[in-house]
Amino acid sequence: MTEPLIRLENVSKSYGAGTEPAVKNLTLEVMRGEVLVLVGPSGCGKSTTLRLINRLIEPSSGRIILNGEDVTKGDPAILRRKIGYVIQQVGLFPHRTIAENIATVPKLLGWDAKKIDARIDEMLDLVSMDPETYRDRFPKELSGGQAQRVGVARALAADPDVLLMDEPFGAIDPITRDRLQNEFLRLQQELKKTIVFVTHDIDEAIKMGNRIAILREGSEIAQLDTPEAILAHPADEFVESFLGSGAILKGLTLKRVRDIDMHQVPTLKAPVMRAEALQELQDSPDQVALLLDDNDKPLRWIDERSLNRTAQPIEKAVGR
Amino acid sequence: MTVDLQPEDTLQDALTVMLQSSVGMAVITDRKGKYLGCCTIESLAKLIMSDR
């Protein structure tokens, strides 16, 4: 993440004389391979900024440089084929199958049918959806979470360097959203795309971003830094109030389970004799043991109480 | 039954699982569900304190 792939230079967007600009003189760099999150209150101009990058909205002034090229010149339709775009409403074509939806941009780019076919399966696999089950379904046959996965698959189908994501998980229930965020972070570790991600949710910004730009009205940058630095040193009262309370708890979303020193407990392979299990518990400083199956998959916790509750003879096996 | 964590899950996920666990610990498995170790409140606190 050393060189900028996207650079906005003094970009402004106004919708008419006498109105405040939606984006005011914004200069911003997005580094290659990073997830930059734009976060701010409703109406601050974050979605407008995103749409300026793929020219769904034309800037009133300023330059937008993508990979060294000024994209404010040239054909916007060609530009959009090079940039993946995921939105909250997903935007799948309702009368096209999932396969046809994913194939949209590769078809526009003139890929041959065999390559497109293989790519559809690859993309569905990537977002953990079985191609055989899903490729011929229609969007109305999917849950919200599945539709959003297809939205991501479609955005990635033509292998764009840049992905723009506008509140992509905003309309999904909290449990599915959390799962999709985790899946997306796993994907990004593998794909290393350059991503501009818009959200109004600071917790999501902290979790998803390599860097976060906290925006005030007019897309003015209040602070641009890593989540750790923003949580530790908020630039001003606006940022502080936007972060809210509980900075330590918010910081927990920045660290992964792999970062901790794993603790080991005694394990027992099922089925195990109760006598052996009791002996193991007596030797365990935690007074618990973990029952595993033949493949070392956890079955359940065992403690003295749970063993006594079974009221089975000491010779009886546990976990059968 | 245990609710398992994977190495890529966040520590916030870990805290949620631990608070619901009968033994105050969360089991960590690999992507195939194989046991790797456990996450405890102490290991979580140690990591947080190392940043302070």
PDB file of all heavy atoms in Angstrom, chain A residues 19-36:
ATOM      1  N   THR A  19     -26.682  27.093  -3.945  1.00  0.00           N
ATOM      2  CA  THR A  19     -26.785  25.951  -3.033  1.00  0.00           C
ATOM      3  C   THR A  19     -25.380  25.582  -2.545  1.00  0.00           C
ATOM      4  O   THR A  19     -24.395  25.810  -3.249  1.00  0.00           O
ATOM      5  CB  THR A  19     -27.385  24.710  -3.735  1.00  0.00           C
ATOM      6  OG1 THR A  19     -26.551  24.381  -4.848  1.00  0.00           O
ATOM      7  CG2 THR A  19     -28.802  24.955  -4.199  1.00  0.00           C
ATOM      8  N   GLU A  20     -25.342  25.051  -1.342  1.00  0.00           N
ATOM      9  CA  GLU A  20     -24.055  24.593  -0.803  1.00  0.00           C
ATOM     10  C   GLU A  20     -23.561  23.398  -1.628  1.00  0.00           C
ATOM     11  O   GLU A  20     -24.357  22.505  -1.958  1.00  0.00           O
ATOM     12  CB  GLU A  20     -24.229  24.152   0.659  1.00  0.00           C
ATOM     13  CG  GLU A  20     -24.210  25.296   1.656  1.00  0.00           C
ATOM     14  CD  GLU A  20     -22.875  26.030   1.692  1.00  0.00           C
ATOM     15  OE1 GLU A  20     -21.833  25.374   1.816  1.00  0.00           O
ATOM     16  OE2 GLU A  20     -22.890  27.285   1.591  1.00  0.00           O
ATOM     17  N   PRO A  21     -22.289  23.350  -1.990  1.00  0.00           N
ATOM     18  CA  PRO A  21     -21.810  22.188  -2.735  1.00  0.00           C
ATOM     19  C   PRO A  21     -21.918  20.895  -1.932  1.00  0.00           C
ATOM     20  O   PRO A  21     -21.681  20.899  -0.730  1.00  0.00           O
ATOM     21  CB  PRO A  21     -20.340  22.516  -3.031  1.00  0.00           C
ATOM     22  CG  PRO A  21     -20.010  23.760  -2.308  1.00  0.00           C
ATOM     23  CD  PRO A  21     -21.250  24.327  -1.714  1.00  0.00           C
ATOM     24  N   ALA A  22     -22.317  19.810  -2.619  1.00  0.00           N
ATOM     25  CA  ALA A  22     -22.401  18.500  -1.953  1.00  0.00           C
ATOM     26  C   ALA A  22     -21.001  18.010  -1.623  1.00  0.00           C
ATOM     27  O   ALA A  22     -20.787  17.338  -0.612  1.00  0.00           O
ATOM     28  CB  ALA A  22     -23.108  17.505  -2.868  1.00  0.00           C
ATOM     29  N   VAL A  23     -20.048  18.332  -2.498  1.00  0.00           N
ATOM     30  CA  VAL A  23     -18.636  18.016  -2.262  1.00  0.00           C
ATOM     31  C   VAL A  23     -17.853  19.294  -2.524  1.00  0.00           C
ATOM     32  O   VAL A  23     -18.028  19.934  -3.565  1.00  0.00           O
ATOM     33  CB  VAL A  23     -18.139  16.882  -3.193  1.00  0.00           C
ATOM     34  CG1 VAL A  23     -16.649  16.618  -2.993  1.00  0.00           C
ATOM     35  CG2 VAL A  23     -18.931  15.598  -2.957  1.00  0.00           C
ATOM     36  N   LYS A  24     -17.021  19.665  -1.532  1.00  0.00           N
ATOM     37  CA  LYS A  24     -16.370  20.969  -1.617  1.00  0.00           C
ATOM     38  C   LYS A  24     -14.860  20.806  -1.590  1.00  0.00           C
ATOM     39  O   LYS A  24     -14.290  20.446  -0.555  1.00  0.00           O
ATOM     40  CB  LYS A  24     -16.840  21.801  -0.415  1.00  0.00           C
ATOM     41  CG  LYS A  24     -16.594  23.271  -0.501  1.00  0.00           C
ATOM     42  CD  LYS A  24     -17.280  23.901   0.722  1.00  0.00           C
ATOM     43  CE  LYS A  24     -16.879  25.334   0.906  1.00  0.00           C
ATOM     44  NZ  LYS A  24     -17.453  25.885   2.140  1.00  0.00           N
ATOM     45  N   ASN A  25     -14.255  20.983  -2.762  1.00  0.00           N
ATOM     46  CA  ASN A  25     -12.796  21.064  -2.843  1.00  0.00           C
ATOM     47  C   ASN A  25     -12.090  19.894  -2.152  1.00  0.00           C
ATOM     48  O   ASN A  25     -11.171  20.087  -1.369  1.00  0.00           O
ATOM     49  CB  ASN A  25     -12.347  22.395  -2.212  1.00  0.00           C
ATOM     50  CG  ASN A  25     -11.089  22.911  -2.864  1.00  0.00           C
ATOM     51  OD1 ASN A  25     -10.818  22.565  -4.033  1.00  0.00           O
ATOM     52  ND2 ASN A  25     -10.311  23.699  -2.157  1.00  0.00           N
ATOM     53  N   LEU A  26     -12.510  18.676  -2.479  1.00  0.00           N
ATOM     54  CA  LEU A  26     -11.981  17.482  -1.805  1.00  0.00           C
ATOM     55  C   LEU A  26     -10.718  16.964  -2.490  1.00  0.00           C
ATOM     56  O   LEU A  26     -10.693  16.747  -3.703  1.00  0.00           O
ATOM     57  CB  LEU A  26     -13.047  16.371  -1.807  1.00  0.00           C
ATOM     58  CG  LEU A  26     -12.619  15.009  -1.259  1.00  0.00           C
ATOM     59  CD1 LEU A  26     -12.349  15.071   0.249  1.00  0.00           C
ATOM     60  CD2 LEU A  26     -13.688  13.949  -1.548  1.00  0.00           C
ATOM     61  N   THR A  27      -9.674  16.777  -1.702  1.00  0.00           N
ATOM     62  CA  THR A  27      -8.451  16.115  -2.190  1.00  0.00           C
ATOM     63  C   THR A  27      -8.235  14.869  -1.338  1.00  0.00           C
ATOM     64  O   THR A  27      -8.258  14.933  -0.107  1.00  0.00           O
ATOM     65  CB  THR A  27      -7.239  17.062  -2.101  1.00  0.00           C
ATOM     66  OG1 THR A  27      -7.465  18.154  -3.016  1.00  0.00           O
ATOM     67  CG2 THR A  27      -5.947  16.350  -2.494  1.00  0.00           C
ATOM     68  N   LEU A  28      -8.075  13.737  -2.014  1.00  0.00           N
ATOM     69  CA  LEU A  28      -8.050  12.453  -1.304  1.00  0.00           C
ATOM     70  C   LEU A  28      -7.296  11.428  -2.138  1.00  0.00           C
ATOM     71  O   LEU A  28      -7.456  11.388  -3.364  1.00  0.00           O
ATOM     72  CB  LEU A  28      -9.511  11.999  -1.119  1.00  0.00           C
ATOM     73  CG  LEU A  28      -9.805  10.669  -0.449  1.00  0.00           C
ATOM     74  CD1 LEU A  28      -9.532  10.770   1.050  1.00  0.00           C
ATOM     75  CD2 LEU A  28     -11.278  10.301  -0.642  1.00  0.00           C
ATOM     76  N   GLU A  29      -6.475  10.617  -1.469  1.00  0.00           N
ATOM     77  CA  GLU A  29      -5.775   9.546  -2.186  1.00  0.00           C
ATOM     78  C   GLU A  29      -6.195   8.199  -1.640  1.00  0.00           C
ATOM     79  O   GLU A  29      -6.341   8.033  -0.424  1.00  0.00           O
ATOM     80  CB  GLU A  29      -4.255   9.702  -2.020  1.00  0.00           C
ATOM     81  CG  GLU A  29      -3.680  10.820  -2.859  1.00  0.00           C
ATOM     82  CD  GLU A  29      -2.162  10.927  -2.733  1.00  0.00           C
ATOM     83  OE1 GLU A  29      -1.601  10.401  -1.750  1.00  0.00           O
ATOM     84  OE2 GLU A  29      -1.549  11.544  -3.619  1.00  0.00           O
ATOM     85  N   VAL A  30      -6.388   7.244  -2.533  1.00  0.00           N
ATOM     86  CA  VAL A  30      -6.693   5.872  -2.128  1.00  0.00           C
ATOM     87  C   VAL A  30      -5.534   5.010  -2.606  1.00  0.00           C
ATOM     88  O   VAL A  30      -5.226   4.962  -3.793  1.00  0.00           O
ATOM     89  CB  VAL A  30      -8.012   5.372  -2.759  1.00  0.00           C
ATOM     90  CG1 VAL A  30      -8.393   4.022  -2.156  1.00  0.00           C
ATOM     91  CG2 VAL A  30      -9.137   6.386  -2.594  1.00  0.00           C
ATOM     92  N   MET A  31      -4.874   4.358  -1.639  1.00  0.00           N
ATOM     93  CA  MET A  31      -3.685   3.568  -1.965  1.00  0.00           C
ATOM     94  C   MET A  31      -4.065   2.228  -2.599  1.00  0.00           C
ATOM     95  O   MET A  31      -5.108   1.667  -2.278  1.00  0.00           O
ATOM     96  CB  MET A  31      -2.857   3.320  -0.693  1.00  0.00           C
ATOM     97  CG  MET A  31      -2.428   4.580   0.004  1.00  0.00           C
ATOM     98  SD  MET A  31      -1.445   5.630  -1.079  1.00  0.00           S
ATOM     99  CE  MET A  31      -1.382   7.145  -0.156  1.00  0.00           C
ATOM    100  N   ARG A  32      -3.180   1.739  -3.441  1.00  0.00           N
ATOM    101  CA  ARG A  32      -3.398   0.447  -4.107  1.00  0.00           C
ATOM    102  C   ARG A  32      -3.528  -0.671  -3.055  1.00  0.00           C
ATOM    103  O   ARG A  32      -2.692  -0.783  -2.173  1.00  0.00           O
ATOM    104  CB  ARG A  32      -2.217   0.151  -5.028  1.00  0.00           C
ATOM    105  CG  ARG A  32      -2.445  -0.960  -6.004  1.00  0.00           C
ATOM    106  CD  ARG A  32      -1.231  -1.161  -6.852  1.00  0.00           C
ATOM    107  NE  ARG A  32      -1.054  -0.108  -7.858  1.00  0.00           N
ATOM    108  CZ  ARG A  32      -1.626  -0.108  -9.056  1.00  0.00           C
ATOM    109  NH1 ARG A  32      -2.402  -1.113  -9.402  1.00  0.00           N
ATOM    110  NH2 ARG A  32      -1.424   0.871  -9.908  1.00  0.00           N
ATOM    111  N   GLY A  33      -4.596  -1.440  -3.152  1.00  0.00           N
ATOM    112  CA  GLY A  33      -4.780  -2.602  -2.276  1.00  0.00           C
ATOM    113  C   GLY A  33      -5.391  -2.293  -0.917  1.00  0.00           C
ATOM    114  O   GLY A  33      -5.555  -3.185  -0.106  1.00  0.00           O
ATOM    115  N   GLU A  34      -5.750  -1.045  -0.650  1.00  0.00           N
ATOM    116  CA  GLU A  34      -6.320  -0.722   0.666  1.00  0.00           C
ATOM    117  C   GLU A  34      -7.849  -0.641   0.607  1.00  0.00           C
ATOM    118  O   GLU A  34      -8.441  -0.473  -0.458  1.00  0.00           O
ATOM    119  CB  GLU A  34      -5.766   0.606   1.203  1.00  0.00           C
ATOM    120  CG  GLU A  34      -6.419   1.848   0.662  1.00  0.00           C
ATOM    121  CD  GLU A  34      -6.066   3.125   1.443  1.00  0.00           C
ATOM    122  OE1 GLU A  34      -5.776   3.049   2.652  1.00  0.00           O
ATOM    123  OE2 GLU A  34      -6.082   4.211   0.825  1.00  0.00           O
ATOM    124  N   VAL A  35      -8.455  -0.778   1.786  1.00  0.00           N
ATOM    125  CA  VAL A  35      -9.882  -0.466   1.925  1.00  0.00           C
ATOM    126  C   VAL A  35      -9.948   0.890   2.617  1.00  0.00           C
ATOM    127  O   VAL A  35      -9.554   1.016   3.780  1.00  0.00           O
ATOM    128  CB  VAL A  35     -10.623  -1.518   2.775  1.00  0.00           C
ATOM    129  CG1 VAL A  35     -12.098  -1.158   2.892  1.00  0.00           C
ATOM    130  CG2 VAL A  35     -10.463  -2.919   2.194  1.00  0.00           C
ATOM    131  N   LEU A  36     -10.376   1.901   1.878  1.00  0.00           N
ATOM    132  CA  LEU A  36     -10.557   3.229   2.466  1.00  0.00           C
ATOM    133  C   LEU A  36     -12.050   3.411   2.718  1.00  0.00           C
ATOM    134  O   LEU A  36     -12.859   3.304   1.797  1.00  0.00           O
ATOM    135  CB  LEU A  36     -10.060   4.328   1.521  1.00  0.00           C
ATOM    136  CG  LEU A  36     -10.301   5.743   2.057  1.00  0.00           C
ATOM    137  CD1 LEU A  36      -9.357   6.065   3.211  1.00  0.00           C
ATOM    138  CD2 LEU A  36     -10.158   6.788   0.971  1.00  0.00           C
TER     139      LEU A  36
END
